[in-house]
Amino acid sequence: MPNTSSPFDLSGHVAIITGGNRGIGRSIALGMARAGAAIAVLARNKEKNKQVLAELKEIGVPSMALHLDVTARETLSEAIDAVKADLGRIDILVNNAGSVSVTGGILNESPEVWDITMATHLDATFLLSKYAAASMVKQNSGKIINLASMYSYFGAKLVPSYGAAKGGIVQLTKAMAVELATHNIQVNAIAPGWIVTELTELVRESPDYIEFNKMILARTPAARWGEADDIAGAAVFLASSASDFITGITLPVDGGYSVC
Ligand code: NDP
């Protein structure tokens, strides 16, 4: 019998998506659910968690939503254990939770903003990956997907801690990829271009950012902002067996912004 299953099929796999209750994380959660994965969404807003859980139930996969603040580092190990207890295993971890404070540069940026940005993006990615990888090593398989950014490559004048954290994500992705490769765990990152979500609302809506917004569109060969759903396909690919020989990369999903 020929093997007719899709290389993108995630049936029988369990995926954790931090910040999976809106924006890019929600699209990734729904995309992976449609590919057959059981989904755990980890985020803070209980109402939004409930909403995405209802969408996941409608797709028909096993799912759970856990209230989690990824900066509460003492709770992260427990969260990974709770997913394992409820859904049985962990095959895929998407470190997506993120926030940004537009401070205008280091002259204005407070140490508090720096700390919370690092904790949200970099510390949480390190710790959740560490705890999930311990479980993946035992089963000799796993996929970790981290959210990078165009600011992983380019100077983030207005949001320096965000740029530093996203630069760090690329190097952490490579380090984990090299370490975990012989355990059949692939670690990759996605670098979205400019995507329509709450995170970028200020840039799209504020009159102060009209020129900046024009620059974004002029520099994006696709000549449009991306949608959250534009990221889901890349995430499904990097979570699936179709990408088993790909590790340590940062994949731009940016309408061409990074090559222009
Ligand atoms: P949104 O603001 O739309 O969503 C952010 C998500 O992260 C929400 O689900 C939020 O849920 C969660 N979150 C934020 N802080 C925490 C926290 N401390 N603990 C747990 N969850 C948290 O942003 P996007 O969807 O745009 O961003 C998703 C990722 O993509 C981020 O890492 C971002 O940096 C990255 N990215 C986005 C780009 C864009 O153009 N939009 C471009 C490049 C990268 P809750 O508040 O309920 O906790």
Side-chain angles (χ1 to χ4, degrees):
M1 279 274 285
N3 181 357
T4 53
S5 67
S6 161
F8 306 107
D9 184 17
L10 299 181
S11 303
H13 293 235
V14 175
I16 295 177
I17 296 101
T18 68
N21 67 8
R22 67 169 200 256
I24 292 170
R26 171 181 164 274
S27 283
I28 291 174
L30 298 180
M32 288 188 180
R34 289 187 191 107
I39 305 290
V41 163
L42 276 47
R44 295 167 302 181
N45 185 306
K46 289 184 179 163
E47 197 46 45
K48 295 233 160 157
N49 283 357
K50 233 196 266 175
Q51 285 166 11
V52 79
L53 194 57
E55 293 181 285
L56 291 164
K57 297 272 181 226
E58 201 162 309
I59 294 170
V61 291
S63 47
M64 63 183 285
L66 200 64
H67 175 265
L68 182 77
D69 180 342
V70 297
T71 67
R73 53 164 65 189
E74 68 287 354
T75 65
L76 301 184
S77 172
E78 270 170 37
I80 294 289
D81 289 345
V83 175
K84 261 197 298 186
D86 264 35
L87 297 177
R89 51 189 283 131
I90 297 165
D91 300 288
I92 302 156
L93 169 66
V94 184
N95 288 302
N96 164 82
S99 61
V100 65
S101 293
V102 182
T103 58
I106 61 155
L107 297 178
N108 280 330
E109 190 150 302
S110 66
E112 289 74 25
V113 165
W114 175 272
D115 286 347
I116 196 77
T117 309
M118 290 299 158
T120 306
H121 293 272
L122 209 43
D123 299 7
T125 297
F126 157 59
L127 288 167
L128 287 166
S129 299
K130 173 183 171 69
Y131 301 136
S135 173
M136 292 170 178
V137 164
K138 285 189 197 138
Q139 68 203 25
N140 199 41
S141 68
K143 303 276 188 181
I144 298 175
I145 302 167
N146 302 321
L147 267 289
S149 163
M150 289 299 106
Y151 284 149
S152 299
Y153 310 116
F154 305 117
K157 185 176 80 171
L158 301 176
V159 288
S161 53
Y162 183 84
K166 291 304 195 187
I169 290 285
V170 170
Q171 288 303 327
L172 180 59
T173 298
K174 289 182 192 174
M176 293 196 292
V178 174
E179 177 186 350
L180 298 171
T182 54
H183 297 286
N184 190 30
I185 299 167
Q186 290 81 46
V187 187
N188 293 294
I190 295 171
W194 292 89
I195 309 295
V196 178
T197 65
E198 282 184 35
L199 190 95
T200 53
E201 202 171 338
L202 181 74
V203 177
R204 280 176 291 107
E205 307 294 339
S206 164
D208 296 343
Y209 288 88
I210 288 173
E211 290 308 314
F212 193 69
N213 203 343
K214 277 189 196 154
M215 176 282 291
I216 289 169
L217 285 175
R219 187 177 162 173
T220 305
R224 67 169 176 89
W225 278 67
E227 300 295 331
D229 284 349
D230 285 319
I231 308 300
V236 169
F237 166 61
L238 290 176
S240 73
S241 64
S243 62
D244 277 353
F245 203 51
I246 297 176
T247 199
I249 66 155
T250 297
L251 175 65
V253 183
D254 64 350
Y257 185 94
S258 58
V259 294
C260 197

